[in-house]
């Protein structure tokens, strides 16, 4: 029986993480004003539209931020955590506690996306600096708004851009702080998507 539970949790975590990735990328693309005609952008849009478009009728944008994507990410993460708890323990947990866990988990998930994109962009800048690959173009577009403030403080020197290093350090510090808050408040990180 424990093998079946492990398989179910693995499937829920993997498939849920992939869909949460699509939702978060949709939010980050909109935030970065990325090219929505990029083939990967179109894939993300097609995957998220069935759940996002009905929410947009209820939840308006705020200061140019797609709040419907934020709400969808939190609700989806909450639902997936509840399902994983139900599979493991056979009961549902308090929804407000799970929503709090999902909030922390979603912020950690987005920070993880940024770290991965930083790594991809950094490697691509050495291997294929002038590539017009749609995936690389989208990665550059998503990370640029995060890196721009760091470039103002630390401009490129000698052909090297250190903004990604310092942005990554800030994100890692935020992640460590959030993981500390999560641990002190009893958030089961193993039940969150992407962990």
């Amino acid at each position: 029986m424990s093998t079946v539970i492990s398989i179910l949790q693995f499937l829920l975590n993997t498939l849920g993480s992939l869909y949460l990735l699509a939702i978060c990328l949709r939010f980050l693309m909109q935030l970065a004003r990325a090219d929505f005609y990029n083939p990967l952008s179109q894939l993300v849009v097609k995957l998220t539209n069935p759940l996002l478009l009905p929410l947009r009728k209820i939840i308006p944008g705020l200061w140019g931020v797609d709040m419907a994507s934020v709400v969808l990410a939190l609700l989806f993460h909450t639902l997936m955590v509840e399902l994983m708890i139900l599979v493991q323990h056979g009961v549902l947990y308090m929804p407000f506690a799970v929503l709090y866990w999902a909030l922390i988990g979603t912020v950690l998930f987005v920070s993880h996306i940024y770290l991965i994109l930083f790594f991809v962009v950094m490697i691509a800048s050495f291997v294929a600096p002038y590539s017009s690959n749609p995936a690389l173009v989208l990665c550059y577009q998503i990370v640029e708004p995060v890196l721009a403030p760091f470039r103002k403080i630390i401009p490129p020197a000698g052909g090297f851009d250190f903004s990604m290093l310092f942005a990554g350090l800030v994100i890692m510090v935020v992640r460590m702080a959030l993981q500390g808050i999560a641990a002190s408040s009893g958030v089961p990180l193993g039940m969150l998507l992407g962990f």
Side-chain angles (χ1 to χ4, degrees):
M1 189 66 165
S2 64
T3 305
V4 173
I5 290 173
S6 296
I7 291 170
L8 279 173
Q9 282 195 309
F10 169 74
L11 290 173
L12 282 171
N13 198 322
T14 302
L15 298 175
S17 295
L18 288 173
Y19 196 72
L20 183 62
L21 175 65
I23 297 168
C24 291
L25 283 176
R26 176 80 181 254
F27 171 72
L28 295 176
M29 289 183 331
Q30 188 271 336
L31 204 60
R33 308 283 188 256
D35 177 18
F36 270 75
Y37 294 105
N38 183 313
L40 288 175
S41 299
Q42 286 298 306
L43 173 65
V44 169
V45 168
K46 285 179 182 174
L47 286 172
T48 56
N49 267 351
L51 295 179
L52 190 59
L53 292 181
L55 265 182
R56 281 198 176 147
K57 293 177 183 174
I58 304 167
I59 302 163
L62 187 64
W63 300 302
V65 175
D66 184 14
M67 294 307 293
S69 294
V70 174
V71 170
L72 179 59
L74 289 175
L75 290 178
F76 181 77
H77 205 158
T78 302
L79 174 67
M80 294 308 294
V81 171
E82 282 284 16
L83 284 174
M84 287 194 285
I85 291 171
L86 183 62
V87 165
Q88 186 169 6
H89 301 292
V91 294
L92 292 174
Y93 202 71
M94 296 177 288
F96 289 112
V98 176
L99 182 62
Y100 170 70
W101 298 349
L103 175 63
I104 290 176
T106 304
V107 174
L108 286 169
F109 194 86
V110 169
S111 70
H112 196 73
I113 291 171
Y114 272 118
L115 291 174
I116 290 171
L117 291 179
F118 286 169
F119 182 74
V120 168
V121 167
M122 184 174 57
I123 296 300
S125 69
F126 289 111
V127 177
Y130 304 108
S131 174
S132 59
N133 181 295
L136 288 177
V137 170
L138 188 60
C139 289
Y140 281 118
Q141 290 174 342
I142 291 173
V143 300
E144 185 55 36
V146 175
L147 298 179
F150 289 94
R151 283 198 190 108
K152 289 179 183 174
I153 299 167
I154 308 150
F160 292 101
D161 184 3
F162 294 103
S163 60
M164 205 171 306
L165 171 68
F166 289 99
L169 286 173
V170 168
I171 288 174
M172 286 304 294
V173 167
V174 169
R175 282 179 63 82
M176 291 169 72
L178 277 173
Q179 288 170 341
I181 291 169
S184 66
S185 58
V187 176
L189 289 177
M191 287 289 178
L192 300 178
L193 294 179
F195 288 93

